[in-house]
Amino acid sequence: VFEHAPWVAQRVTAQRPFQTVASLDAAMMEALRGASDSEVRAFLNGHPELSGDNLPTDLTDASQAEQSALGMAGTSGAAELAGLNRAYRDRFGFPFIICVARHTAANVLRSLQHRLRGDPADELQTSLAEIGHITRLRLLQRVHGAGAPPSAGRLSGHVLDVASGRPAPDLRVDLLQEGRRAVQALTDADGRVSGLLPPGPLRQGQYELEFHAGAYFAARDVATFYDLIPVRFTISEAEAHYHIPLLLAPFGYSTYRGS
Amino acid sequence: VFEHAPWVAQRVTAQRPFQTVASLDAAMMEALRGASDSEVRAFLNGHPELSGDNLPTDLTDASQAEQSALGMAGTSGAAELAGLNRAYRDRFGFPFIICVARHTAANVLRSLQHRLRGDPADELQTSLAEIGHITRLRLLQRVHGAGAPPSAGRLSGHVLDVASGRPAPDLRVDLLQEGRRAVQALTDADGRVSGLLPPGPLRQGQYELEFHAGAYFAARDVATFYDLIPVRFTISEAEAHYHIPLLLAPFGYSTYRGS
Amino acid sequence: VFEHAPWVAQRVTAQRPFQTVASLDAAMMEALRGASDSEVRAFLNGHPELSGDNLPTDLTDASQAEQSALGMAGTSGAAELAGLNRAYRDRFGFPFIICVARHTAANVLRSLQHRLRGDPADELQTSLAEIGHITRLRLLQRVHGAGAPPSAGRLSGHVLDVASGRPAPDLRVDLLQEGRRAVQALTDADGRVSGLLPPGPLRQGQYELEFHAGAYFAARDVATFYDLIPVRFTISEAEAHYHIPLLLAPFGYSTYRGS
Amino acid sequence: VFEHAPWVAQRVTAQRPFQTVASLDAAMMEALRGASDSEVRAFLNGHPELSGDNLPTDLTDASQAEQSALGMAGTSGAAELAGLNRAYRDRFGFPFIICVARHTAANVLRSLQHRLRGDPADELQTSLAEIGHITRLRLLQRVHGAGAPPSAGRLSGHVLDVASGRPAPDLRVDLLQEGRRAVQALTDADGRVSGLLPPGPLRQGQYELEFHAGAYFAARDVATFYDLIPVRFTISEAEAHYHIPLLLAPFGYSTYRGS
């Protein structure tokens, strides 16, 4: 759970048993924050560099799984990564650490570029906060397995037809993540779509829902100004609920961040 | 339950026991519809005339309670009622029957004026449908008491602040029924108001929600164009859910029939 | 133009001719502001008290016309006025002065109640600013007569039917001023209403446009949730353009302060 | 003006002078419609086939200019065109004729695919209607030169900030035509963009306006849910005015076809 650092777990064994995953994680993070500066820096330096195209063979299984799921391989960002990693380590003395499960590949790069300009003292704290995200997810994964971790993020949509006064059923909705088509769904009888993203934290970054209004109205023999209604938005909280309603008329629509 | 007509219940005793209130009511309504034309007309004529100001002393307890709750006494409509009742009976040969619990006083008058222009054969069927509503509610009342009858109507509201991206809490919302202030509430932490109307069927008619946007924005030191935002709408289905969202910005807003 | 104070005009005669009404007014206001404190206070004290029900007989013609047009007589506010006037004079040593042409009667009272709590030094400046508004309008009136003074305020509306994608023509719009029905109009072929208020400054206060959506949709055989859509708003700039669009669908609408 | 058909002009010389371009065009179109079936078919067959990548060298100057401006060369559609042209001529006995100035390249292909399934008699009429559009534009071009022809189409946008109650100035707006970035503009002080497309008829097809809300709010230090707001719509009338308002709050927006 704590990369190459069994000592973190060892320091909290006396506190066993832990009632919740959260309290175990909090205790271990406290042990880490309570360690000496040189221990903390050694711990940070025990982390692998984030890889673009070729994952190193000596990654821990957890790192291997997390970096593979990020899907940066083959993207335009992969090539930039090596140079940015080097610049980061040169400036701060430890590798760039981020909980990749909470970001899209593009957002990992944006964060790296942003944090490269940060203050060294702040950046140490940011790295520890990212360690906290990583280890919390690793612990949840070991305890709960594939089940949705508690308090994960959520993305949903809802289409209301304000000409008929009813929810819009069977309307196709596509989800794009950083411009890439990720998944496609149909609204249910109540006009809703959910389950667009896998359970767990949301990957922070740029998203777009495309509502296929043209086909919906064509099936009802209604003329419309819109074929496809794209709504682009930023996910900036991995554990929040993002609800995207669309109030749809043939020649006008509204959208907002719902609750 | 069936006004002055114990024979309706007697004709279904052989079918006992009934699993649900709905099946008991359905059986009794079938018995009524299966009765002879003269029995049906006699039954309809056993109903009291709807009264405005002074309720007759010989009403059944159920009629007494229903007509009192309507609250027509003292309204401008009460005076018109006697003349309209007489015209209705002259035209159709039986008194005007309506399930008053499903209408506002103003809407009872609107219905009477509308049905006075109806076709006699249709009007007999309409009267039986109203009997069905009346008896279903009386049965539910006797079985469930004051508890909310199943499948009742519902009215709720929701205020989203699209400038902040969050629900609008503690925003005062007044409900007006036929222009009369009925109840006032505050949105909860999720921006919602519910429980504005008593459990049971909604009274069909004209409603207005008044959202006190001016005080909400003043408390946040934000200039606004609106002091009070009225949303007037028609409830035309007593057993439906009416949801009224307000998407609020300081200088613009949207509302729609939600779901 | 300057109430009982020909000396103000006399002090600027040397500067004649004036190219515009605005420059004449500016010069006279400068003369007033340049006068001694006792001259200014005497000038302010030369103004009549604002009257509710019975206008005094010794008003100048201009004051008489302005106060009559305000329409406070017979309103609930008229009774309060005498007491508030007395309290104001007691506190500040001169009568309450306001350019009544730029306010509704209700707003004159609101202003009086608000200014009663003001700081004496600020209140002297506020009174001179109001004198500036009064004299500018009196000058414009003498020079232009009944024609619309330049840079007056304006109120307009626009209804777009977002189900059909076209402006909504022949839709009845009522204007209420402080809750009183003031004027009624129909949208033109482009869905617009204008000329709802007389030319000149807008009276600051509370307004409501009522859009008769029910009749509009009924004429097109379209079911709707709305009979009458009220939009209440505050006019707080007498010389601004207030544009109120309504984006209308049968079961939802948006409105905003347009431009 | 009439491709390889001076006889059309010759048949109307007796009617000279013509007061307007429209009346000259109407007279010539009447002459064409009044010609014998074989004359009409020969005229249609005098038209060049629409070319994708290599324009034939024997085009009239007008055809050359119109087809070049369409910009189909190098697009994925250019390859399909030859086969579709052949299928069209096989089915109807004359080449596919369309006023290319009134369509995007993608829409020319959509029209060809759609008309290929049409009825032969209808298709002859559709071709003559397209001839009418072509010759009207050629005449206007010869008479007015580069000046905007009367009654051309128009595309404009307007951004209102409903949080501040004011138009949104200096907000970047990009126009995409069939998915390709065509032009970029800034809203003016009244929040408007216009002149996005050259004067003359609008090319029918798919458009997108991208409103750069993120930069607008960032410049005002306001958090927002949106970086870029795309509005995709269909232009289906070449001579109409398309007005696209955006009512913008940091966490919600509305758009509609304006007027």
Side-chain angles (χ1 to χ4, degrees):
Chain A
V1 169
F2 282 72
E3 198 86 359
H4 301 303
W7 59 266
V8 179
Q10 282 153 8
R11 288 187 195 176
V12 303
T13 48
Q15 299 174 42
R16 287 186 296 179
F18 294 96
Q19 298 301 318
T20 62
V21 170
S23 61
L24 168 56
D25 190 42
M28 292 199 290
M29 283 302 297
E30 203 184 314
L32 175 61
R33 289 179 196 274
S36 70
D37 188 65
S38 63
E39 279 175 316
V40 168
R41 289 182 179 272
F43 167 71
L44 294 177
N45 272 296
H47 282 74
E49 245 165 34
L50 194 60
S51 296
D53 273 318
N54 299 304
L55 295 187
T57 52
D58 61 347
L59 286 184
T60 60
D61 289 352
S63 278
Q64 163 84 37
E66 288 156 7
Q67 296 201 25
S68 298
L70 179 60
M72 190 177 284
T75 70
S76 62
E80 287 182 64
L81 200 56
L84 289 167
N85 270 330
R86 201 173 318 115
Y88 185 94
R89 185 191 289 272
D90 286 352
R91 179 162 154 84
F92 298 109
F94 48 80
F96 173 68
I97 293 168
I98 188 167
C99 176
V100 294
R102 296 173 77 252
H103 295 270
T104 63
N107 220 49
V108 165
L109 272 180
R110 282 182 208 119
S111 295
L112 177 42
Q113 282 155 344
H114 178 74
R115 285 170 53 188
L116 204 41
R117 296 190 300 269
D119 173 78
D122 291 349
E123 195 52 27
L124 186 69
Q125 291 312 311
T126 301
S127 298
L128 287 175
E130 291 294 328
I131 294 291
H133 289 306
I134 294 169
T135 56
R136 180 173 44 81
L137 291 175
R138 286 181 181 180
L139 279 175
L140 286 168
Q141 173 73 18
R142 296 202 183 183
V143 174
H144 295 285
S151 77
R154 205 145 58 87
L155 173 64
S156 57
H158 196 187
V159 188
L160 276 299
D161 178 336
V162 292
S164 74
R166 283 186 289 271
D170 298 321
L171 188 148
R172 180 175 152 194
V173 182
D174 293 357
L175 174 69
L176 286 79
Q177 201 178 36
E178 301 290 354
R180 279 196 281 187
R181 211 157 291 268
V183 64
Q184 117 180 20
L186 284 182
T187 55
D188 65 17
D190 191 34
R192 297 179 187 274
V193 280
S194 57
L196 295 168
L197 290 172
L202 301 175
R203 291 186 181 277
Q204 294 166 71
Q206 289 297 324
Y207 288 79
E208 178 173 315
L209 287 176
E210 290 186 343
F211 296 93
H212 290 244
Y216 170 80
F217 284 122
R220 283 151 186 81
D221 216 17
V222 169
T224 179
F225 192 34
Y226 309 108
D227 183 31
L228 196 148
I229 295 178
V231 177
R232 264 177 233 178
F233 55 96
T234 306
I235 286 187
S236 57
E237 298 172 85
E239 285 79 23
H241 178 198
Y242 284 83
H243 184 54
I244 314 291
L246 178 71
L247 316 180
L248 178 61
F251 288 82
Y253 62 86
S254 296
T255 185
Y256 59 100
R257 176 160 183 196
S259 85
Chain B
V1 169
F2 281 72
E3 197 86 358
H4 302 303
W7 57 266
V8 179
Q10 284 153 7
R11 287 187 196 176
V12 302
T13 49
Q15 299 173 40
R16 287 187 295 180
F18 294 95
Q19 297 300 319
T20 63
V21 170
S23 61
L24 168 57
D25 189 43
M28 292 199 290
M29 282 303 297
E30 203 184 314
L32 175 61
R33 288 178 198 276
S36 70
D37 189 64
S38 64
E39 279 176 315
V40 169
R41 289 182 178 272
F43 167 72
L44 294 178
N45 272 296
H47 282 75
E49 245 167 35
L50 194 59
S51 296
D53 274 316
N54 300 303
L55 295 187
T57 52
D58 60 348
L59 285 184
T60 59
D61 288 352
S63 278
Q64 163 85 38
E66 289 156 7
Q67 295 201 26
S68 298
L70 178 60
M72 190 176 283
T75 70
S76 62
E80 288 181 63
L81 199 56
L84 288 167
N85 269 331
R86 202 173 317 114
Y88 184 95
R89 186 192 289 272
D90 286 353
R91 178 162 155 83
F92 299 109
F94 48 82
F96 172 68
I97 294 169
I98 189 166
C99 176
V100 293
R102 297 174 75 252
H103 296 271
T104 62
N107 220 50
V108 164
L109 272 180
R110 284 183 207 117
S111 295
L112 175 43
Q113 281 154 344
H114 178 74
R115 284 170 53 189
L116 203 43
R117 296 190 300 269
D119 174 79
D122 291 349
E123 196 52 27
L124 185 69
Q125 291 311 311
T126 300
S127 297
L128 287 174
E130 292 293 328
I131 294 291
H133 288 307
I134 294 169
T135 56
R136 179 172 47 80
L137 291 175
R138 287 181 179 180
L139 280 174
L140 286 168
Q141 174 73 17
R142 297 202 181 184
V143 174
H144 295 286
S151 77
R154 205 146 57 87
L155 172 65
S156 58
H158 195 187
V159 187
L160 275 301
D161 179 335
V162 292
S164 74
R166 283 186 291 270
D170 299 321
L171 187 147
R172 181 175 151 194
V173 183
D174 293 356
L175 174 69
L176 287 79
Q177 202 178 34
E178 302 290 355
R180 279 196 280 185
R181 211 156 292 267
V183 64
Q184 116 180 21
L186 284 182
T187 55
D188 65 17
D190 191 33
R192 297 179 188 274
V193 280
S194 57
L196 294 169
L197 290 173
L202 301 174
R203 292 186 181 276
Q204 296 166 69
Q206 289 297 323
Y207 289 79
E208 179 173 314
L209 287 176
E210 290 187 343
F211 296 92
H212 290 243
Y216 171 81
F217 285 122
R220 283 150 186 82
D221 216 17
V222 169
T224 180
F225 192 33
Y226 308 108
D227 182 32
L228 196 148
I229 295 177
V231 177
R232 261 176 234 177
F233 54 96
T234 307
I235 287 187
S236 57
E237 298 171 85
E239 284 80 23
H241 178 198
Y242 284 83
H243 184 55
I244 314 291
L246 178 71
L247 316 179
L248 178 62
F251 288 82
Y253 61 86
S254 296
T255 186
Y256 58 101
R257 176 158 185 197
S259 85
Chain C
V1 168
F2 282 71
E3 199 84 358
H4 302 303
W7 58 265
V8 180
Q10 283 154 7
R11 289 188 194 174
V12 303
T13 49
Q15 300 174 40
R16 287 186 297 180
F18 294 95
Q19 298 301 318
T20 62
V21 170
S23 62
L24 168 56
D25 189 42
M28 291 200 290
M29 282 303 297
E30 203 183 314
L32 175 60
R33 288 177 196 275
S36 70
D37 189 64
S38 63
E39 279 176 316
V40 168
R41 287 179 180 273
F43 167 71
L44 294 179
N45 273 296
H47 283 74
E49 244 166 36
L50 193 59
S51 296
D53 273 317
N54 299 303
L55 295 186
T57 52
D58 60 346
L59 286 183
T60 60
D61 288 353
S63 278
Q64 161 86 39
E66 290 155 7
Q67 295 200 27
S68 299
L70 178 60
M72 190 177 284
T75 70
S76 63
E80 289 181 61
L81 200 54
L84 289 167
N85 270 332
R86 201 172 318 116
Y88 185 95
R89 186 191 289 272
D90 287 351
R91 179 163 156 84
F92 299 109
F94 47 82
F96 173 69
I97 293 167
I98 189 166
C99 176
V100 294
R102 296 173 76 253
H103 294 271
T104 62
N107 221 49
V108 164
L109 272 182
R110 282 181 209 121
S111 296
L112 177 41
Q113 280 155 343
H114 178 75
R115 285 171 53 187
L116 203 42
R117 296 189 299 269
D119 173 80
D122 291 348
E123 196 51 29
L124 186 70
Q125 292 310 311
T126 300
S127 298
L128 288 174
E130 291 294 327
I131 294 291
H133 289 307
I134 294 168
T135 55
R136 178 172 47 79
L137 290 175
R138 287 182 179 179
L139 280 173
L140 286 167
Q141 174 73 18
R142 298 205 180 181
V143 174
H144 296 284
S151 77
R154 205 147 56 87
L155 173 64
S156 58
H158 195 188
V159 188
L160 276 300
D161 179 336
V162 292
S164 74
R166 284 186 290 271
D170 298 322
L171 187 148
R172 182 175 152 194
V173 182
D174 293 357
L175 176 68
L176 287 78
Q177 204 178 33
E178 302 289 355
R180 280 197 282 187
R181 211 155 291 270
V183 64
Q184 116 181 21
L186 283 182
T187 55
D188 66 15
D190 191 32
R192 297 178 188 275
V193 281
S194 57
L196 294 169
L197 291 171
L202 301 175
R203 291 185 182 276
Q204 295 166 70
Q206 289 297 324
Y207 289 79
E208 178 172 314
L209 288 175
E210 290 187 342
F211 296 92
H212 290 242
Y216 171 81
F217 284 121
R220 283 149 186 84
D221 215 17
V222 170
T224 180
F225 191 36
Y226 307 108
D227 182 33
L228 196 149
I229 294 178
V231 177
R232 265 176 232 177
F233 55 96
T234 306
I235 287 187
S236 57
E237 298 172 86
E239 285 79 23
H241 178 197
Y242 285 83
H243 184 55
I244 313 290
L246 178 71
L247 316 180
L248 179 60
F251 288 82
Y253 62 85
S254 297
T255 185
Y256 57 101
R257 176 160 184 196
S259 86
Chain D
V1 169
F2 282 71
E3 197 84 359
H4 302 302
W7 58 265
V8 180
Q10 283 154 8
R11 289 189 194 173
V12 304
T13 49
Q15 300 173 42
R16 287 186 297 181
F18 293 95
Q19 298 301 318
T20 63
V21 171
S23 62
L24 167 56
D25 190 42
M28 291 200 290
M29 281 304 295
E30 201 183 316
L32 174 61
R33 288 177 197 277
S36 71
D37 189 64
S38 63
E39 279 176 316
V40 168
R41 288 178 179 273
F43 167 72
L44 293 178
N45 272 296
H47 283 73
E49 246 166 32
L50 193 60
S51 294
D53 274 317
N54 300 304
L55 295 186
T57 52
D58 61 347
L59 287 183
T60 59
D61 288 352
S63 277
Q64 163 85 40
E66 290 155 6
Q67 296 200 25
S68 298
L70 178 60
M72 189 177 284
T75 69
S76 63
E80 289 181 62
L81 200 55
L84 289 167
N85 269 331
R86 201 173 318 116
Y88 185 96
R89 186 190 288 272
D90 287 351
R91 178 162 156 84
F92 298 109
F94 48 81
F96 173 69
I97 293 167
I98 188 167
C99 175
V100 293
R102 296 173 77 253
H103 296 270
T104 63
N107 220 49
V108 165
L109 272 180
R110 283 182 208 118
S111 295
L112 176 42
Q113 280 154 344
H114 178 74
R115 285 170 52 188
L116 204 42
R117 295 190 300 268
D119 172 79
D122 291 349
E123 198 50 31
L124 185 69
Q125 291 312 310
T126 300
S127 298
L128 287 174
E130 291 294 327
I131 295 291
H133 289 306
I134 294 168
T135 56
R136 179 173 46 80
L137 290 175
R138 287 182 178 178
L139 280 174
L140 285 167
Q141 174 72 19
R142 298 205 181 181
V143 174
H144 295 285
S151 77
R154 205 148 57 87
L155 174 64
S156 57
H158 195 188
V159 188
L160 276 299
D161 179 335
V162 292
S164 73
R166 285 185 289 271
D170 298 322
L171 187 148
R172 181 174 152 196
V173 182
D174 294 356
L175 175 68
L176 286 79
Q177 203 178 34
E178 303 288 355
R180 279 196 281 185
R181 212 155 291 269
V183 65
Q184 119 181 17
L186 283 182
T187 55
D188 66 16
D190 191 32
R192 297 178 188 274
V193 281
S194 57
L196 294 169
L197 290 172
L202 301 175
R203 291 186 182 277
Q204 295 166 71
Q206 289 297 323
Y207 289 78
E208 178 172 315
L209 288 175
E210 289 187 343
F211 296 92
H212 290 243
Y216 170 80
F217 284 120
R220 283 150 185 82
D221 215 17
V222 170
T224 179
F225 192 36
Y226 308 108
D227 182 34
L228 195 149
I229 295 178
V231 178
R232 266 178 231 175
F233 55 96
T234 306
I235 288 187
S236 56
E237 297 172 85
E239 285 80 23
H241 178 198
Y242 285 83
H243 184 54
I244 314 290
L246 178 71
L247 317 179
L248 179 60
F251 287 82
Y253 61 87
S254 296
T255 185
Y256 58 99
R257 176 161 184 195
S259 86

